[in-house]
Amino acid sequence: MNPVIAIDGPSASGKSTVARRVAAQLGFVYVDTGAMYRAVTWRLLHEGIDPAKTAAVAAFSERMDFHAIIKGGTTRLECNGPIDPDALRSPDVSSAVALVARVPETRARLVAEQRSLRALAPLVMEGRDIGSVVFPNTPYKFYLDARPEVREARRHLQGEEDAINRRDNIDRSRAVAPLRVADDARVIDSSSLSIDEVVAAVCSALDTAGLQCRPTDSHAS
Ligand code: DC
């Protein structure tokens, strides 16, 4: 069975950058599950379906043709056709995605897709429910957090203005797979740590657990 490193946490906790770098150091495939929820949201908007209409989102999710294809150390997404990764961080998608991610039928389809990837490669998978729901039995679980004002400031620096607190509140309070810390996750507060320090903390825990991180030349994401 291929190993899975689960990296969960709220928006702008630093988990994408950290997950990408840890995946590169381990030689594992990096999987961004937030991008999967965003891909469904983009396609819904493109097809003129209102993301606030739960029944319509559920019906769409049950019949959608969704694939995550492993390529070049990460995944390329298809949802009723190819998805342009650059479209996934648009304000329209960012403000609607938490509504889509709370729909159980959508989650069921994407969680099945996420689990199926493990048969193909060792994974570093980031999201909200990877350690708690998708792979509850993996021994490698991390939960990255940072103070709300630090996360807001990071999002502004990235040029994104979406209301992450509103999104996090929907993610935390939804009925299915809410954002929470898995009981056995290692919690890292990155408020006053650099990315290098967080990557070092994750890699040191993985080294202790028997997985070898090898520093790479490039930090390109
Ligand atoms: O990580 P992100 O900002 O790209 O996530 C987009 C949305 O998808 C966010 O509202 C949380 C949700 N999400 C989720 O519910 N479960 C996951 N495993 C990943 C993301």
Side-chain angles (χ1 to χ4, degrees):
M1 190 67 105
N2 282 316
V4 179
I5 317 301
I7 302 189
D8 290 303
S11 309
S13 55
K15 63 188 187 315
S16 298
T17 313
V18 169
R20 255 194 224 104
R21 293 223 345 229
V22 171
Q25 294 202 18
L26 287 166
F28 287 14
V29 170
Y30 163 66
V31 183
D32 174 0
T33 61
M36 297 186 185
Y37 291 93
R38 287 173 182 269
V40 175
T41 305
W42 184 86
R43 183 60 73 187
L44 280 164
L45 293 171
H46 199 68
E47 293 193 6
I49 298 169
D50 181 352
K53 298 218 162 106
T54 305
V57 174
F60 173 90
S61 299
E62 281 173 335
R63 64 179 160 73
M64 70 184 173
D65 193 21
F66 190 97
H67 301 285
I69 300 142
I70 293 179
K71 207 175 171 206
T74 182
T75 56
R76 189 167 56 73
L77 302 179
E78 291 183 356
C79 180
N80 293 355
I83 297 287
D84 172 5
D86 293 336
L88 298 184
R89 305 212 75 88
S90 73
D92 286 354
V93 170
S94 292
S95 64
V97 64
L99 298 173
V100 174
R102 64 183 183 164
V103 177
E105 290 81 357
T106 310
R107 301 200 71 82
R109 282 294 309 275
L110 296 187
V111 167
E113 188 71 29
Q114 291 153 16
R115 288 186 178 142
S116 73
L117 292 173
R118 186 186 204 169
L120 306 177
L123 308 172
V124 175
M125 189 175 280
E126 63 139 307
R128 303 292 190 290
D129 60 341
I130 311 307
S132 57
V133 172
V134 183
F135 292 112
N137 294 327
T138 183
Y140 315 113
K141 296 184 189 177
F142 298 88
Y143 187 95
L144 263 49
D145 212 343
R147 289 194 306 276
E149 65 276 18
V150 174
R151 296 192 292 111
E152 285 286 357
R154 284 179 186 163
R155 263 294 131 94
H156 288 307
L157 276 178
Q158 292 165 348
E160 292 184 35
E161 301 289 333
D162 63 312
I164 57 172
N165 283 334
R166 175 185 156 271
R167 196 137 60 86
D168 287 344
N169 284 338
I170 302 177
D171 292 337
R172 283 199 172 91
S173 57
R174 69 182 172 224
V176 182
L179 173 64
R180 70 172 182 84
V181 185
D183 294 339
D184 48 348
R186 178 181 292 257
V187 179
I188 300 175
D189 184 330
S190 70
S191 302
S192 51
L193 297 178
S194 68
I195 292 289
D196 282 345
E197 288 171 320
V198 180
V199 171
V202 171
C203 283
S204 140
L206 291 175
D207 282 341
T208 307
L211 294 178
Q212 282 209 321
C213 289
R214 291 176 206 287
T216 51
D217 295 341
S218 153
H219 289 164
S221 53

